[in-house]
Amino acid sequence: LTLPSLHEQKAIAIFLNQKTAEIDSLIADKEKLIELLQEQRQAIITLAVTKGLDPNVPLKDSGIEWLGEIPEHWNCIRMKYICDINPSKSELKASSNTKITFLSMENISEEGILNLQEERELAEVYNGFTYFRENDVIVAKITPCFENGKVAICKGLTNGLGFGTTELHVLRAKNIVYAEYIYLVIQSHIFRNIGTALMKGAAGQKRVPTEFIQNFTIGIPPMNEQKDIINYVKQKSDYLFALINSTKIEIDKLKEYRQSLITAAVTGKIDVRNYNIEKNQMKGEEQEEVS
């Protein structure tokens, strides 16, 4: 350990206190920006799946207090009538040694991206895990993963099949709705806020009940309009995700710079003896050392 004088130790401490505070402030600002961009995306989704894309479309009362008015030509339908929710794995016809994709909660990102690298044999996971297949929508049911928006559409599963953590609900779209549209509904403010309020269980282990998803009522537009909404939200989301990812890279670089600055200062790579911060205080302490 290299040990500078007390005076220089104090100079290093003052230098690093200010510089790291400035960096930490920048990091906090960028983290806040990410939160705002995520909220903006959620607001875009919520508006699109409750009011559509045409601001001039005639509206009607949905009869649902929290949903309010919806476009006149949309239908109000409970989720259980447009999705198979947590379908039974008894429908599987695959052999026991069939390779399938396995998803832990860590393999599901908050951007809806799946890490599909882990594979297992069907016999290994048939009991004790959640079953899903290609094009199913999966959503975390436990806190805080549900609130954080861990939702994804299953694409690219090995042999079209997957199993994963028991902390998932599975929604399989029927022929009147696109899986991508269900994915957007689940990401909306309305679905997430009401689902959070209705969670059951002990603190830290609360879960969204199946009956909430079954009875959740949404407005369903015609399929051609669903496709337009899906494409619109994807375009907006791609732009916002690009901003979010570039901001995350900036945060990582600031954290690296912060660490390198500390290392350089405490190993003498940066000379801070004449640093002007709190100059009068430094003089006073120097006089005390001399006396």
Side-chain angles (χ1 to χ4, degrees), residues 147-184:
E147 298 96 311
N148 292 340
K150 287 213 170 192
V151 185
I153 303 176
C154 297
K155 299 283 189 182
L157 303 179
T158 302
N159 292 312
L161 299 172
F163 277 76
T165 169
T166 57
E167 302 296 354
L168 294 173
H169 283 306
V170 180
L171 293 82
R172 183 170 298 161
K174 295 183 179 180
N175 58 7
I176 64 169
V177 66
Y178 289 105
E180 291 83 358
Y181 193 80
I182 296 299
Y183 170 75
L184 295 181

Side-chain angles (χ1 to χ4, degrees), residues 1-12:
L1 179 65
T2 56
L3 191 63
S5 67
L6 288 174
H7 171 73
E8 194 168 350
Q9 290 177 40
K10 185 64 176 180
I12 291 170

